[in-house]
Each structure stands twice: as C-alpha cells, then as structure tokens.
Amino acid sequence: MRLTTESVAEKNFQAGAWHFAALMAGNVALALGPWLVRLADTGPVAAGFWRMFLPLPLLALLAWRARTPGPLDRRTALMVVAAGLFFAFDLASWHIGIERTRLANATLFGNSGSVILMIWGLVALRRAPAGREWLALAAALGGAAILMGRSLEISAATLVGDLLCLLAGVFYAFYLIPAQRARATLGQWAVLLLVALVAAPALLGFAVFLGEPVWPGEAGWGPVVALAISSQLVGQGLLVFSLRHFPPLVIGVALLTQPAIAAAVGWFAFGEVLGLPDMAGMVLVACALLLAKLAEPRVARVAPERG
C-alpha cells in the first residue's frame, strides 16, 4: 500500500513490532496463493471465483464497520466497475499461468505491476526514464529474458505460463489506477467489497465459458476456502493494517519474500528445482520491483500489494 497525501520524505512512520509482523505475515499468506490454486481441483479461473465470492460476507461486515461517508456517485461507481473487471482479468490470467509455469516465475511476473505502473507513469508524463527508472527497466528486461528463456528450455507451455502471468501483472496495474481513485472516496474495505462483487460473477462467467469445473471435487473445499482466507482476507487484511506504517524501501523488501516463499513451495511440493541462471533472473526481476517502488512519485496513493 502506498501513502495517502504526505510525501515519503515528510511522513513520520511509526511502525511497531505488530505492524512488522503483520507486514511479513501478509506477504507469507499471499505467497501461498499459487500453491493453493494448484491444489484446488476446480478450474484455475473457478478457483479465482471462489476466492472472490467466499469472503463477501466478512468484507461486507468490515466495510460496514469502517463506515466511510463518501458517496457512491456515477463516476466512482464506474471506477469500481472498471477496477473489478480488470481484477477479474488479472486473476483469470494469473491463475491459468500458475498452472503452466513454475511458482517462483508466476509470483514474480504476477507482481510486475510496480514496474508496469512506473512505465505507465512515464508514458502519461511523456518523459524518458531517469536514474533508478533506467536501472529498473534494464533489470526487469534482463531478468524476464533469462526466466522466459529458461522456461522455453522446459516447454513452450511453460513460456506461455510466464506470458500469462506477465499479462496478469498488466491487468493488475490497470486495476490499481481506478481502485486507487475510488479508495479516496469510499475507503479501503468498501472498495475491496465492491471490486469482489464485480469480479466474482465475471470470473464465474469466464470459468463457465472455458468449460472449467466450478464445484470442488475429490480435493474438497479445503484449497478454495484456504485460498479465499489466505489471499483475500488474511493477506489483504494484514497489508491494509500494516503498510501505511512503512516507507517504500521496507515495503519493497518485504514484497520480495513472496517469490522466495513461492520458490521454496515449488521445490518442496512440485520438485521445481531452480538453477543458477533461474536465480540470477529472479534477482534481476526482484531488483526491478524494488527499484520501481523506490521510484514511485512522492505523493503516493493507497493500493494493496499483489496477492
């Protein structure tokens, strides 16, 4: 999450041990999402539907307790609908990609929204990159080339999985833009609730169109319930609680625990062994994410991290 109206330099961060624990626990919960998508015996897009649908009652309660007084006018409603649709596209693309590539790659590329937002900002401002932005772009391109090249060595399907997860990062960046603006009026929990109300039926429609099984089978409800709780409630909830207390550097470093945990889960659960070139590519992409976060505008906006 980014700061609201104060600059990073001017913000008086007051983080306690509980905030740091929440920050790390939130990233751990989000890092387990790709593993749970694989464990679910629904289709990958259907797993995204259950992730958005099951937490709706609790999200409604949290939004009601927050009691943000902002009105839901036509402009704000359109922004929420746009955010919900982009988030549905993000989850559909990401979950399909998770099935086709390594968990570490899926998590890294799925978190590429920071770099994509930086590029979008440069395009919007019509200026060339400078300083850290050049470094972030070079690291992102170099790391992505290494990881995708290694995926192609395994299978063309694995490369397609990487590209789908990268596409998910693009959708996530475009989810953040309207969602950030809506949060200024409605508040964090109200936007999460409304986005879920838009994204859930869209994901269900995608799943049915793709012919995926929607109802859990032999694996039962455990994986999809765990996905909904860990990603949509625990992960997002802990980040909402903690991120405003930290500067971008700390947030960026904490974010990098997600691909590390995903790589470990991929190794232990699925035998996804990473070689030195894979690790080099991961380090480059991780550096790009960190540099992009440090290069964010000083007047920042409120937005949750990827999960």
Side-chain angles (χ1 to χ4, degrees):
M1 186 185 302
R2 301 183 181 91
L3 307 179
T4 49
T5 56
E6 299 165 287
S7 73
V8 170
E10 295 168 352
K11 177 74 175 179
N12 181 25
F13 295 104
Q14 295 181 344
W18 283 111
H19 297 119
F20 183 76
L23 175 65
M24 298 308 297
N27 277 286
V28 170
L30 293 174
L32 297 177
W35 174 52
L36 294 169
V37 170
R38 289 230 189 134
L39 291 181
D41 59 359
T42 64
V45 179
F49 160 70
W50 290 116
R51 166 183 166 168
M52 302 304 293
F53 178 76
L54 292 176
L56 282 175
L58 186 54
L59 287 175
L61 176 62
L62 292 170
W64 175 76
R65 285 179 60 87
R67 291 188 178 91
T68 304
L72 183 62
D73 55 26
R74 183 173 180 273
R75 181 172 179 273
T76 305
L78 289 174
M79 287 191 293
V80 168
V81 170
L85 290 175
F86 275 119
F87 196 60
F89 296 148
D90 161 57
L91 283 184
S93 180
W94 193 43
H95 282 196
I96 295 172
I98 286 168
E99 298 278 348
R100 301 189 181 193
T101 190
R102 292 171 291 182
L103 294 189
N105 287 28
T107 305
L108 275 171
F109 290 131
N111 272 302
S112 61
S114 297
V115 178
I116 294 166
L117 274 179
M118 184 192 72
I119 296 171
W120 174 258
L122 295 174
V123 171
L125 294 174
R126 298 180 182 178
R127 69 170 178 85
R132 290 173 179 161
E133 295 163 346
W134 276 118
L135 291 175
L137 288 173
L141 291 174
I146 293 172
L147 290 173
M148 289 184 181
R150 294 285 291 174
S151 290
L152 188 57
E153 291 177 12
I154 299 172
S155 165
T158 311
L159 176 61
V160 171
D162 284 350
L163 293 174
L164 284 169
C165 292
L166 186 59
L167 178 62
V170 175
F171 286 137
Y172 189 71
F174 283 96
Y175 148 73
L176 288 178
I177 295 170
Q180 287 166 348
R181 294 173 182 171
R183 284 187 189 98
T185 300
L186 302 177
Q188 178 76 28
W189 289 113
V191 170
L192 285 176
L193 171 64
L194 294 173
V195 164
L197 286 171
V198 173
L203 286 164
L204 179 60
F206 295 159
V208 171
F209 176 77
L210 294 172
E212 291 186 359
V214 175
W215 205 259
E218 293 182 3
W221 286 93
V224 292
V225 171
L227 176 66
I229 293 173
S230 65
S231 292
Q232 206 63 22
L233 293 178
V234 176
Q236 296 283 359
L238 290 177
L239 294 186
V240 168
F241 169 72
S242 64
L243 287 183
R244 69 187 64 192
H245 300 281
F246 295 97
L249 176 60
V250 176
I251 296 169
V253 172
L255 175 64
L256 300 185
T257 61
Q258 289 190 38
I261 293 169
V265 172
W267 180 26
F268 285 111
F270 304 106
E272 297 174 356
V273 179
L274 300 179
L276 288 177
D278 299 305
M279 294 179 185
M282 288 180 62
V283 168
L284 283 173
V285 175
C287 288
L289 294 175
L290 182 57
L291 288 168
K293 186 160 287 294
L294 291 175
E296 286 174 357
R298 288 197 158 201
V299 178
R301 299 149 294 189
V302 177
E305 297 307 317
R306 184 71 168 86

